[in-house]
Amino acid sequence: MSGQEASLDIIIISFGSADIIESNMLDVLKCEKIKKIIIENNPFHKSSKKLEKYPNLHVSVQEENIGFGSGINLATSQSDSVYNLILNPDIIITLSEIQKFLFYAKNESYENTVLWAPSKYNHGMQSKNFFVSGSILLFRRQEFIETGGFDENIFLFFEETDLCKRILEKNLRISTEADISFDHLSGKSSPTDTKIEIFKNWHFGWSKCYYYRKHFPNIKKKAALCIFINYLMKYLFSFNRSKSILNKAKACGAWAFLNGKSSRECHINLI
């Protein structure tokens, strides 16, 4: 191992995800030189504490689910490194790929670059609406904090889209790297459960409305209303029961937003 990892801390947001984290990132967990910060958002599922058997790994179990963005912000406040790397629990990546990722960031030719992502997860060209996926993100911690971190009004979904838009509006740069190799077991970050899927989709509907209201004020309520109607129609006219349930959850999230509810007011028992 080279000495370059000393400037990197890894952040993982868990929701009862200890087993998949251990399965996907074993050599990363074993690395003594990299600090791993795990925010456990399921207070009733403290299995992540067992991961503290690995060196330089710290688990913070929350009293309630504080959401993805708030969890990342909390972890950055516990970090003292130059760089932070966000990894979803369902990301499979080796230590050598993380070393390569950090090398690219340290040798970045553009001084105003603050965030790096694999190019397989970029969306669009470098424009004001460019964004990258939050499942694997490397950033300079101080600049992330100065940008405002993740918007804690958002509980889940669109937090990285919002962050990217704010970064670019400050004339800072996002870089994508083509040869970072990893696998993403999409949707496997937490145990599979119908209630969890409904919960996620409610937040998708709410957060989509919030994002458009925040960044496109000229279309404000009209955008949120269109989002609600779109998912309502998909719910009403779908012949696939499982998709219908999830579209209903998205419509309920959008409706909650339209009625002034915060992202913390998700009542899946009413869906």
Side-chain angles (χ1 to χ4, degrees), residues 21 35 46 76 102 106 112 151 176 193 199 215 248:
I21 292 170
K35 181 179 178 181
K46 300 179 181 180
T76 59
L102 183 60
K106 286 189 166 187
N112 64 335
D151 184 338
T176 57
D193 179 274
F199 178 82
H215 292 290
K248 181 182 179 183

Side-chain angles (χ1 to χ4, degrees), residues 15-264:
F15 192 80
S17 315
D19 291 341
I20 195 165
I21 292 170
E22 194 166 29
S23 173
N24 290 348
M25 310 175 194
L26 190 57
D27 68 331
V28 177
L29 296 179
K30 289 180 177 179
C31 179
E32 296 183 18
K33 293 184 178 180
I34 298 179
K35 181 179 178 181
K36 284 78 64 179
I37 302 171
I38 297 178
I39 305 297
E40 177 54 71
N41 264 339
N42 187 341
F44 306 108
H45 200 302
K46 300 179 181 180
S47 61
S48 292
K49 295 295 286 185
K50 73 178 184 180
L51 297 177
E52 289 186 331
K53 65 186 178 185
Y54 293 104
N56 205 6
L57 189 150
H58 309 272
V59 177
S60 176
V61 180
Q62 303 306 297
E63 293 182 359
E64 61 180 5
N65 188 347
I66 62 173
F68 180 81
S70 295
I72 297 296
N73 291 348
L74 175 61
T76 59
S77 73
Q78 298 174 2
S79 170
D80 55 6
S81 69
V82 177
Y83 297 92
N84 284 169
L85 173 64
I86 299 172
L87 293 177
N88 267 19
D90 55 3
I91 292 290
I92 301 175
I93 191 167
T94 64
L95 198 54
S96 61
E97 291 302 308
I98 291 174
Q99 287 177 293
K100 189 197 299 182
F101 207 2
L102 183 60
F103 175 82
Y104 286 143
K106 286 189 166 187
N107 291 277
E108 174 63 54
S109 55
Y110 295 94
E111 291 185 0
N112 64 335
T113 303
V114 299
L115 190 151
W116 293 261
S119 59
K120 70 182 286 186
Y121 275 164
N122 69 316
H123 300 267
M125 303 299 291
Q126 284 271 4
S127 68
K128 294 300 182 185
N129 295 318
F130 173 86
F131 69 97
V132 292
S133 169
S135 58
I136 173 168
L137 279 181
L138 178 66
F139 56 85
R140 273 202 279 261
R141 186 177 65 89
Q142 190 57 41
E143 282 86 346
F144 174 82
I145 292 170
E146 289 172 359
T147 305
F150 282 122
D151 184 338
E152 296 190 6
N153 289 312
I154 301 173
F155 187 88
L156 189 63
F157 296 114
F158 285 88
E159 52 276 270
E160 73 268 50
T161 315
D162 169 72
L163 176 67
C164 289
K165 190 161 185 65
R166 287 186 283 118
I167 286 173
L168 295 170
E169 285 174 348
K170 290 179 179 289
N171 294 316
L172 299 173
R173 193 173 183 277
I174 300 166
S175 179
T176 57
E177 307 298 341
D179 62 341
I180 301 299
S181 179
F182 68 97
D183 290 316
H184 187 193
L185 307 176
S186 186
K188 303 295 184 183
S189 285
S190 56
T192 303
D193 179 274
T194 301
K195 284 188 175 182
I196 291 176
E197 291 307 308
I198 291 172
F199 178 82
K200 287 179 178 179
N201 280 270
W202 187 98
H203 280 288
F204 187 91
W206 190 97
S207 297
K208 189 172 184 178
C209 292
Y210 176 85
Y211 173 80
Y212 277 96
R213 186 193 70 176
K214 178 178 179 179
H215 292 290
F216 303 97
N218 291 335
I219 57 174
K220 256 185 184 179
K221 198 165 184 177
K222 185 189 292 185
L225 186 60
C226 288
I227 291 167
F228 165 70
I229 292 172
N230 177 48
Y231 289 128
L232 180 64
M233 293 297 101
K234 287 182 177 180
Y235 158 61
L236 292 173
F237 297 105
S238 174
F239 295 102
N240 182 310
R241 176 167 168 73
S242 60
K243 287 184 178 180
S244 177
I245 290 171
L246 299 183
N247 281 316
K248 181 182 179 183
K250 289 174 183 173
C252 287
W255 183 250
F257 176 85
L258 283 165
N259 283 277
K261 303 293 185 183
S262 79
S263 63
R264 270 62 181 174

